[in-house]
Amino acid sequence: MKLLSAAVAIGFAGLLAGCDGPSETGMTGYKAYSPLSPETIALMKAKDTDQNAPMLIRAYKKEAEFEVWKQKKDGTYVHLKTYPMCRWSGQLGPKRTEGDRQVPEGFYTIAPGSMNPNSHYYLSFNVGYPNAYDRAHGYVGGNIMVHGICSSAGCFSMTDKQIEEIYAVARDSFAGGQRQIQMQSFPFRMTADNMAKLRLDPNMPFWKEIKRGADYFEVTKQETPVGVCDKHYVFGASPKTGRFDALSPCPGLNTNRDTEAAIAAKEAVDDKAVAELVAKGTKPIKIVYADGGQNPEFTHRVAEVSRPDALAAGAQEIALDETPKAKPALVQVAAARSKASVPSAKAAALQTADATPTGTVVAQTSAAAAPSPFTAAPSAYASTEPKSETDGFFHKFLNLGSGETPEAAPAIVAAAAQAAPVPAPAVEPVKKPAPKHIVARNTHAKPTTALPAAKAPAPAEAAQAATPVSPLVKVAAAPSPEAIPAH
């Protein structure tokens, strides 16, 4: 009977999923029926829960960790597993616009119809962005997923093996009668150390607001009741009359006094710890990423992730000044990033060609920024994840045997593109339409512009054109739309 319920849930999900394109094999989502391992079932039993009990998700971007919790028989939730996150993109802070590559932060709802068994990204489910809070603030975008393939443009990206198990846990929870799964997404673990270091970040007021929702769960170990009114989250309360309206003033609220007292006590302890760290000299910082990060467990898997060159740069911690006459944090960060910026390729080339020995700048390529995928350490998952998964990533990149195009090229191809001299066109660029196989509603970024060839090449350019170019460089140098495939 449970198998029948699961099959009905999966079939219903396939009809309503936000990214309902066919899988790369052309078959139905057979992966979505993969059973949980005996080890995971035994772990559930040891923690006084079972396959069909409700689940809850908590994710942390800075630490790149993805937690799954299950409800025990007494109604409270117990931590089941923490999965290291293979890839997330953007910066710390909420998602606001389409194509900003931001992984959303806040409280979201996953419904049975959010599950996509036919995902191009192995398996996936939609987290429910934008929610009522996001819409009230005018934030736009959509199709934010938890999926496999280890490629992110605003999504929570896991390995195929991880998403297969997470998907199965969610599938069995829905089969057991759970109507919605709550997902709590945070910029980082809300520790005193993180709150102290990032105290001047412009997003801190928002982070303090969602911390209260995190505190509710940590105090009660029950799903956090969430409402939105007056453009703010309301946690652990219900309206005395009517219902919440995200744009209207908050109504009178019904709350549990004991719970509110316990949360206030926790907040007081946390605030004291932050104050003590500041008094001891903890300096305020701003953390800046080239484009997101990943859990340290995956640093050796360079060849399998999207934008490995961005990951190689790591997180940059910019020290901020909090003296009374200090400039705003945003101005300080902009100034710090401007000083650290690398000269453009054109400027570097001009300075390198200058015969004057002083002020000479040697241009650096991205090949030096990211370790070569061929020298990376062997995968820790080599015994459990077949090589076909890695091959599949490159097949998707080269668009071989798949109807999709990933949003970023591996570092080895990016390096080859820089090695190939490409003459600058003398005419204005024109937009090149996206390939027909890309579904516009499932993209995160607009196609890039294609550059037409110059009508008459200069003599130097003609000499370059006569030099043989490898097929790999040709693939990398060819213009292509930067479109994101269906999940």
Side-chain angles (χ1 to χ4, degrees), residues 70-90:
K70 289 285 283 184
Q71 191 179 75
K72 299 196 298 183
K73 294 177 182 178
D74 65 0
T76 61
Y77 279 82
V78 62
H79 174 245
L80 182 68
K81 280 189 178 184
T82 296
Y83 300 86
M85 201 182 302
C86 196
R87 189 76 170 88
W88 63 272
S89 60

Side-chain angles (χ1 to χ4, degrees), residues 25 67 128 135 147 152 181 201 225 227 257 292 351 353 360 430 443 481 483:
T25 61
E67 293 180 347
R135 293 193 297 271
H147 60 59
S152 175
I181 296 171
D201 192 291
R257 292 185 179 181
Q351 293 185 47
T360 302
V430 296
T443 60

